[in-house]
Amino acid sequence: MYKKTKIFIFSFLFFISILFFQATCFAKYMIEDIQTVATLDIDGGKPTVEILDITSTNDFYPSRARKCHLISGHLKITERNLTRNDLTIEHLKIVVGKRPYLSEKDITPVDFKSFSLVSETPLEKIYEFSFTNVEGFGTLGFIIPEGILEDKYGFINERLLLPSNLVIDNTPPLALFDELPSSDGKTIGRIRLSESVKPIEGWKESTSGLVIEKEFSNPISYILPLEDYASNPIEVLIDIKNANAISLEYGTYDELSKQTLVSSGEITSPNTISSTSLAKTESIFLRAVDSSGISFLQGKVYMHTYLNNSTSFSCSYSHLPYYPHYNPSPTQWWNVGSDHTLSYFDRIFTQFGGYGCNHSDVIPSHISSQFLYGISSLQFKLKNLPNYSVVYQSYVKDIGWLPVSCDGEENFYQHDKPVSSFRMNLIPSSQKQFLIDFWNRDIGTHSIN
């Protein structure tokens, strides 16, 4: 009995071992077969389009642009099994500030300059684009119509609105100027804005960017050009009237207009411009002082006279001498307030030139009546007024206003063509070019504004 039981147990265990061995081997071969034959091409996605990058030729702020800027960038198509690709300029639509895109009337017309395939792999196609003349205001986006891309399984792209990070802005900012009191005879020019503008040298910007200010020491009027970050331009008239920390006064004396005294950018003898007067500027009276009463200006003029070989002449009004050609000399300057002075309107002025140069015993009457003589060139410079410039401009009869000069440059048309009028002013050096550009608008004209 015992022997039979032992044989039965051994036989049972042997049978179970064989079954386990066969099952293990069968599972092994099943796994190997699956790994070998399961090579599938699975594509369950639709073709997609995305913006890779976009910028503009607005160098200062390339993510903000207006109509004049060229906009460029790249689009990417992603699809491994693409069989139809109709992405062209005709299908690529531009919208500005439209959310959502509703109809064809929301499309913004643009001038495409380029659109081309620049890179390609089995999975991706990259296109480069550029266009300009974009109207409107708001975020720029692309419309990709539905069904212009299709893969071999029949999947087509969805209609897409691709927003960019580029803002179109064709609206200039609004600006309001006013003058505020400061201290020590100075005033503050303040400009309030509807939006931030690009920084302007010499002007301080508020934290919000909606107010810019600058301190002034003397009356001045000029055009300040501003641009917003999309380069939309605006011009603001800076008109400082109440500053008196620096005083600049100048006058002229001529045979017909007699005495005139003006200040800080005003035009001398405007009637000689607006009328048929032949009068020429025969002498100039000049005074310039800071708040401490210290003078800071130097000058010289060229005097065109009937007799060019004489040593000197005497002014009929002041009896001060004046000379043919440069006064005081080609290489010297007179210090305003201390050289060649006279009392004029109860103040000390420096005189250049001399009254009466068109009438003397030696000039024939038919020549003197033509008023051919007087000051024909002006030169001024500053000697101790840091961060300031002196700007001046002459008017010549029948020629008009001449190009502006500054800081020691000679302003003249011809040395034998005396000026009939002039204007001059002091301005912070950072603002000098703005005043020059403003006055140069009058070149060749007969404006008295």
Side-chain angles (χ1 to χ4, degrees), residues 250 265-267 391-393 401 422-424 439 442 449:
Y250 49 98
E266 295 177 333
I267 297 172
V391 177
Y392 40 96
Q393 184 180 31
W401 286 101
F422 78 100
R423 57 186 170 187
M424 64 184 300
W439 283 0
D442 291 335
N449 296 321

Side-chain angles (χ1 to χ4, degrees), residues 356-373:
C357 63
N358 281 291
H359 286 83
S360 71
D361 295 338
V362 297
I363 303 177
S365 59
H366 72 280
I367 295 178
S368 63
S369 62
Q370 298 179 58
F371 297 95
L372 300 175
Y373 308 106

Side-chain angles (χ1 to χ4, degrees), residues 220-225 235 265 380 388-394 401-409 411 423-444:
I220 186 76
S221 181
Y222 66 97
I223 293 293
L224 180 67
E235 292 186 339
F380 301 108
Y388 264 78
S389 290
V390 57
V391 177
Y392 40 96
Q393 184 180 31
S394 303
W401 286 101
L402 305 180
V404 175
S405 299
C406 64
D407 298 328
E409 299 170 343
N411 191 249
R423 57 186 170 187
M424 64 184 300
N425 210 344
L426 306 164
I427 188 166
S429 298
S430 64
Q431 310 298 293
K432 175 178 68 174
Q433 192 59 49
F434 301 136
L435 179 59
I436 291 174
D437 293 342
F438 182 44
W439 283 0
N440 273 340
R441 295 182 180 187
D442 291 335
I443 292 175

Side-chain angles (χ1 to χ4, degrees), residues 45-144:
K46 297 179 180 181
T48 61
V49 184
E50 62 182 298
I51 301 173
L52 288 182
D53 58 78
I54 188 168
T55 189
S56 76
T57 52
N58 181 5
D59 294 336
F60 190 86
Y61 203 69
S63 63
R64 209 167 183 95
R66 67 185 184 104
K67 185 177 179 179
C68 66
H69 292 124
L70 183 69
I71 296 169
S72 60
H74 297 87
L75 295 174
K76 183 177 75 172
I77 297 174
T78 302
E79 173 57 53
R80 183 182 297 278
N81 299 300
L82 196 64
T83 57
R84 182 167 59 84
N85 177 8
D86 293 332
L87 183 61
T88 63
I89 291 177
E90 288 71 26
H91 291 119
L92 187 62
K93 306 299 182 182
I94 307 299
V95 291
V96 175
K98 306 294 184 184
R99 297 292 185 272
Y101 162 67
L102 300 175
S103 66
E104 286 296 317
K105 65 181 177 61
D106 295 323
I107 298 298
T108 301
V110 301
D111 293 336
F112 269 96
K113 300 301 181 181
S114 66
F115 186 80
S116 61
L117 180 66
V118 295
S119 176
E120 184 174 12
T121 70
L123 181 62
E124 300 175 347
K125 297 181 187 295
I126 296 177
Y127 288 83
E128 186 175 74
F129 62 81
S130 66
F131 54 86
T132 187
N133 199 30
V134 186
E135 300 278 5
F137 179 88
T139 301
L140 182 141
F142 295 86
I143 295 293
I144 308 297

Side-chain angles (χ1 to χ4, degrees), residues 234-365:
I234 185 175
E235 292 186 339
V236 181
L237 175 63
I238 307 303
D239 192 17
I240 300 296
K241 297 179 178 179
N242 302 316
N244 56 18
I246 295 175
S247 175
L248 174 66
E249 297 177 289
Y250 49 98
T252 61
Y253 209 121
D254 61 59
E255 186 67 26
L256 298 178
S257 297
K258 305 305 180 182
Q259 295 174 328
T260 62
L261 184 64
V262 295
S263 64
S264 296
E266 295 177 333
I267 297 172
T268 63
S269 305
N271 59 305
T272 63
I273 299 175
S274 59
S275 70
T276 58
S277 171
L278 298 176
K280 305 299 188 296
T281 299
E282 299 181 351
S283 67
I284 294 173
F285 307 88
L286 187 56
R287 179 176 181 270
V289 293
D290 61 18
S291 57
S292 301
I294 298 174
S295 183
F296 47 79
L297 189 63
Q298 294 178 309
K300 71 171 71 174
V301 303
Y302 189 97
M303 194 71 181
H304 178 52
T305 59
Y306 176 70
L307 296 175
N308 287 324
N309 55 357
S310 298
T311 303
S312 66
F313 304 94
S314 178
C315 173
S316 300
Y317 174 77
S318 66
H319 304 295
L320 289 171
Y322 64 92
Y323 315 99
H325 309 308
Y326 287 101
N327 287 248
S329 78
T331 59
Q332 293 178 305
W333 300 76
W334 274 330
N335 294 300
V336 172
S338 58
D339 295 333
H340 217 247
T341 61
L342 77 163
S343 178
Y344 192 48
F345 292 100
D346 299 322
R347 295 186 292 280
I348 299 299
F349 287 76
T350 288
Q351 180 181 341
F352 298 87
Y355 168 65
C357 63
N358 281 291
H359 286 83
S360 71
D361 295 338
V362 297
I363 303 177
S365 59

